[in-house]
Amino acid sequence: MPASVTNFATHFFVTGEPMIYGADVAIVLVSLAILFVLTYFKKWKWLWKEWLTTVDHKKIGIMYLIAALLMMFRGGVDALLMRTQLMLPNGRFLQAQHYNEIFTTHGTLMILFMAMPFIFAMFNIVVPLQIGARDVAFPYLNAISFWLFFVAAMLLNLSFVIGGSPDAGWVSYPPLADLPFDRGPGENFYLLSLQITGIGSMATGLNFFVTIMRMRAPGMTLMRMPLFCWAVLSASVLIIVAFPALTAALALLLIDRVAGAHFFTMLAGGNPMMYVNLFWVWGHPEVYIVVLPAFGVFSEVVATFAKKRVFGYASMVASMMVITVISYLVWLHHFFTMGAGPGVNSFFALASMIIAIPTGVKVFNWLMTLFRGRIRLTPPLLWTLGFVPNFAIGGATGVMLAVAPADYQYHNSYFLIAHFHQVLIGGTVYGMIAGMYYWWPKVFGFLLGERLARHAFWWFNIGFYVCFLPQYFLGYMGMTRRIYTYPPGMGWTTWNFISTLGAYMMGIGFILIAANIVQSALHGVRDTTGDPWDGRTLEWSLPSPAPHYNFARIPTVHSRDAWWEMKEARRRGEPVQESTEPLRPIHMPKSSGRPFILSVLFFVFGFGMTFNWYVMAIIGLLGVGICLVLRSFEFDTDFYIPVHEIEETEAAYGRS
């Protein structure tokens, strides 16, 4: 064979470039297919009016949900590529550089572009309905938040096609992320996409904090509020206080790279540990930002399918508030090995152990709620029950990592990898999938099929254990994170092989979830009652899907589990106190295309800054400023739904 042919074959097949070229072609073909479908079926106007310009919290929640599932797919593919590379020793499936890019984008996508939009989907879909509100406090800002997240996700994913993906790890510690060691645009893609989505995340936290504090229905005191809303309130407080630290860290690192500053350059008087501290001041509260809403979902699911009030409501609320506070006091356990000294390490070790107590309170309360309940083993409850042992193992290993001397052995090993996947997948992902199954009929008007849902759960859940339990053993055996290959004879091969099989089982579980969505959309059972689970909270008092205005009359709340209490009163033949006041025109916000346009301009700014095309960046930033100025002079921002239209809508739902 000629040398030129051999060189080409080596470059093309050994370096992994067929995957990159194949992905590029796939992206182009899918984009062209979407454009063709929208044009052929004449859906451009529908897309603009119904989705791109909407400020309806329910539609925004749907878009967050779709985006989260897509990002889970992309991040999951990255995970399978990594596990395939590590399946056997001396793997040549991926090059070292390609592997670095994949594990960087995997972590970044899963934390900030899958977990965050998934919880925001639940915020938007559920919170206004549970508190008896017609929308969020700031609908226009809510739309901006989504579109900022969306364009930031597109910016980060674009790095795979143009310029190269970030490769300094999802935490991007300097000096690895500094310009002398990382000259490509990949790290700029990372920094700017996270800055843009971070603005949207902070706005969402503020929006839902104000919504919960100021827009609850009459009679819904804080201690009558559903536990999911308490979880959202806690997460919103964490977002508001924690995200500025991430913003500062990323901004300083970007200035280092773009403007030649040296905030984190040791030889120029900077301090890279300052970045690490700032990152984890955000990073550890972030763990609770994404897991607290899952705790709220589990509380709703357990109560509904045990047909009981949540055991220990006040202690559940108190434990969430304690977690909210202590989560700011544990960040240094991420770098016990930096040499901070026994006093500092002891404080953070103790705080890291104490925070396990309020989490344990929740688990015991859920189990006590199920005790002697009339349990229905539905898909949402399956995912909830699957969470309990996962989180128990993850919590126990977390306490092990909190012991500072022991952490010197566990640090940066596969023991740590197994632990944080155990809590983040076993907590957040299980919680969000449980919430998706639980509230799906309320959002879309049909139930997801139980048969496929059970198959998906068992494939995913068994695969989860097969994938991550071996990684604890690998950590004990000395396998460190971030290595892309290993020699034979280390004793790691068997456990890596088993772990990879588990990852593929989880992939099958995800495919079954997607198949279930498609099959149920075509042939699923329609929800004609609005209350398919015999629920307890106010969202189940509405038709499925809920009308644009949510409530024709704002309900008055007299107790916790307001909808359940009303149904129980009717079952006993007792009079139910319902509003008899006449219908009035409903004040609602108008749709607006400016949030979408504003976000596109943020994308232009981010793309220009990524490649140091400052004219493009300035044009984008000026466009953002013009949009903000135009908004400040816009006064025709809302409208009233007339009474006759409300009556027609309610009549169509069979309600008076």
Side-chain angles (χ1 to χ4, degrees):
M1 183 182 292
S4 59
V5 176
T6 304
N7 292 338
F8 172 79
T10 301
H11 175 75
F12 194 72
F13 292 105
V14 175
T15 62
E17 297 222 355
M19 285 188 292
I20 298 174
Y21 295 147
D24 292 350
V25 171
I27 290 168
V28 172
L29 291 177
V30 170
S31 301
L32 290 174
I34 292 171
L35 294 173
F36 172 78
V37 169
L38 289 171
T39 304
Y40 183 80
F41 292 102
K42 299 179 180 178
K43 290 293 184 181
W44 286 105
K45 185 176 181 181
W46 167 83
L47 180 67
W48 177 258
K49 290 187 66 175
E50 295 295 326
W51 297 98
L52 300 185
T53 63
T54 187
V55 294
D56 182 353
H57 69 94
K58 298 180 289 297
K59 289 184 177 180
I60 290 173
I62 291 169
M63 291 191 290
Y64 268 124
L65 178 60
I66 294 170
L69 291 173
L70 290 173
M71 292 299 103
M72 186 185 289
F73 171 76
R74 163 71 207 278
V77 170
D78 283 347
L80 291 177
L81 293 174
M82 286 189 289
R83 286 309 324 161
T84 302
Q85 166 67 16
L86 294 170
M87 192 173 189
L88 296 169
N90 291 332
R92 297 177 66 82
F93 182 66
L94 298 174
Q95 261 193 323
Q97 176 61 22
H98 194 186
Y99 185 86
N100 287 347
E101 293 176 1
I102 285 175
F103 82 67
T104 299
T105 54
H106 167 74
T108 307
L109 285 168
M110 287 303 207
I111 295 291
L112 286 147
F113 295 100
M114 184 279 291
M116 292 299 288
F118 223 145
I119 69 167
F120 290 162
M122 298 299 128
F123 286 19
N124 276 279
I125 289 167
V126 180
V127 169
L129 303 184
Q130 281 199 336
I131 64 174
R134 291 193 170 116
D135 210 315
V136 296
F138 308 115
Y140 183 88
L141 185 63
N142 198 29
I144 291 175
S145 297
F146 170 75
W147 288 115
L148 285 177
F149 149 76
F150 183 82
V151 300
M154 293 302 99
L155 185 63
L156 183 67
N157 279 279
L158 196 62
S159 66
F160 189 70
V161 182
I162 301 172
S165 297
D167 57 3
W170 84 273
V171 292
S172 284
Y173 288 163
L176 286 176
D178 278 340
L179 200 57
F181 301 97
D182 196 340
R183 292 195 171 276
E187 185 61 24
N188 292 350
F189 272 117
Y190 169 93
L191 294 170
L192 287 151
S193 62
L194 264 62
Q195 288 283 44
I196 292 169
T197 194
I199 296 169
S201 296
M202 281 190 280
T204 298
L206 179 64
N207 203 345
F208 279 89
F209 178 82
V210 177
T211 299
I212 292 171
M213 296 304 293
R214 301 295 299 169
M215 297 186 68
R216 301 189 306 278
M220 183 175 282
T221 62
L222 286 173
M223 294 307 288
R224 288 177 179 171
M225 197 163 65
L227 283 170
F228 180 75
C229 293
W230 270 109
V232 174
L233 183 64
S234 302
S236 297
V237 171
L238 288 170
I239 289 170
I240 293 167
V241 182
F243 263 84
L246 177 66
T247 302
L250 298 178
L252 293 174
L253 184 54
L254 184 66
I255 293 169
D256 271 10
R257 290 180 58 85
V258 172
H262 296 288
F263 292 109
F264 307 126
T265 308
M266 183 78 75
L267 296 178
N271 186 355
M273 277 309 303
M274 182 169 67
Y275 175 90
V276 179
N277 269 287
L278 284 170
F279 185 91
W280 286 112
V281 164
W282 162 81
H284 206 82
E286 167 68 8
V287 174
Y288 295 100
I289 287 169
V290 296
V291 84
L292 279 168
F295 291 166
V297 170
F298 297 138
S299 300
E300 303 296 331
V301 168
V302 164
T304 296
F305 297 115
K307 287 188 178 293
K308 287 174 62 179
R309 275 191 169 190
V310 168
F311 180 86
Y313 175 93
S315 64
M316 295 286 270
V317 172
S319 66
M320 276 190 274
M321 294 298 102
V322 170
I323 288 172
T324 303
V325 174
I326 300 181
S327 66
Y328 288 106
L329 306 176
V330 298
W331 82 88
L332 197 131
H333 69 219
H334 288 275
F335 40 98
F336 276 143
T337 58
M338 76 172 183
V344 172
N345 283 359
S346 298
F347 173 85
F348 284 94
L350 186 61
S352 301
M353 296 176 196
I354 289 173
I355 203 168
I357 297 172
T359 306
V361 167
K362 293 181 178 309
V363 174
F364 283 114
N365 283 359
W366 292 322
L367 295 176
M368 289 303 297
T369 304
L370 291 168
F371 181 64
R372 293 183 177 175
R374 289 172 288 169
I375 296 173
R376 289 176 292 160
L377 201 58
T378 58
L381 189 59
L382 265 180
W383 286 94
T384 300
L385 295 175
F387 148 83
V388 173
N390 278 336
F391 213 75
I393 296 169
T397 54
V399 172
M400 294 170 68
L401 286 161
V403 180
D407 188 69
Y408 275 76
Q409 298 301 315
Y410 302 134
H411 188 74
N412 271 351
S413 75
Y414 258 72
F415 187 93
L416 176 62
I417 298 287
H419 160 71
F420 70 66
H421 282 86
Q422 192 96 42
V423 291
L424 286 174
I425 296 177
T428 301
V429 174
Y430 275 56
M432 292 304 102
I433 294 176
M436 183 185 76
Y437 277 108
Y438 183 59
W439 282 300
W440 189 275
K442 180 55 55 186
V443 181
F444 296 101
F446 63 90
L447 284 80
L448 294 175
E450 288 209 12
R451 182 172 171 274
L452 266 178
R454 292 177 188 277
H455 282 290
F457 169 76
W458 287 113
W459 273 101
F460 195 98
N461 191 52
I462 295 172
F464 182 84
Y465 286 103
V466 174
C467 181
F468 292 108
L469 287 183
Q471 294 181 16
Y472 288 113
F473 302 125
L474 287 168
Y476 280 131
M477 296 169 73
M479 184 172 175
T480 57
R481 64 199 295 196
R482 303 188 180 100
I483 62 171
Y484 87 103
T485 189
Y486 55 93
M490 301 293 293
W492 301 345
T493 304
T494 301
W495 294 121
N496 272 305
F497 188 86
I498 294 170
S499 180
T500 301
L501 292 180
Y504 277 93
M505 291 174 69
M506 292 170 69
I508 292 170
F510 179 83
I511 290 169
L512 290 174
I513 290 172
N516 193 3
I517 291 171
V518 174
Q519 190 271 340
S520 299
L522 297 174
H523 309 293
V525 176
R526 303 291 146 176
D527 174 25
T528 58
T529 66
D531 189 11
W533 307 124
D534 195 14
R536 307 181 71 84
T537 44
L538 287 177
E539 73 269 28
W540 304 110
S541 68
L542 295 170
S544 300
H548 173 57
Y549 49 79
N550 296 346
F551 296 90
R553 297 179 180 88
I554 298 296
T556 300
V557 174
H558 302 282
S559 63
R560 285 205 317 266
D561 294 344
W563 177 234
W564 178 263
E565 294 301 326
M566 283 189 268
K567 290 189 295 185
E568 285 296 292
R570 289 196 187 99
R571 288 166 187 153
R572 293 190 299 265
E574 298 173 1
V576 177
Q577 296 179 355
E578 292 186 288
S579 176
T580 57
E581 65 180 42
L583 290 172
R584 293 189 175 90
I586 295 175
H587 178 255
M588 296 296 291
K590 281 185 176 180
S591 296
S592 174
R594 194 172 292 116
F596 176 74
I597 295 168
L598 176 80
S599 301
V600 170
L601 291 165
F602 261 108
F603 178 89
V604 171
F605 164 73
F607 192 80
M609 287 295 295
T610 296
F611 291 95
N612 299 328
W613 298 342
Y614 297 120
V615 173
M616 184 180 184
I618 291 169
I619 290 171
L621 204 57
L622 283 175
V624 169
I626 290 168
C627 284
L628 296 176
V629 171
L630 290 174
R631 175 64 177 179
S632 69
F633 289 102
E634 186 178 7
F635 300 102
D636 184 20
T637 59
D638 42 33
F639 71 103
Y640 282 88
I641 302 175
V643 171
H644 71 85
E645 186 177 325
I646 302 169
E647 290 173 340
E648 290 171 4
T649 304
E650 293 295 299
Y653 283 117
R655 298 152 63 94
S656 58

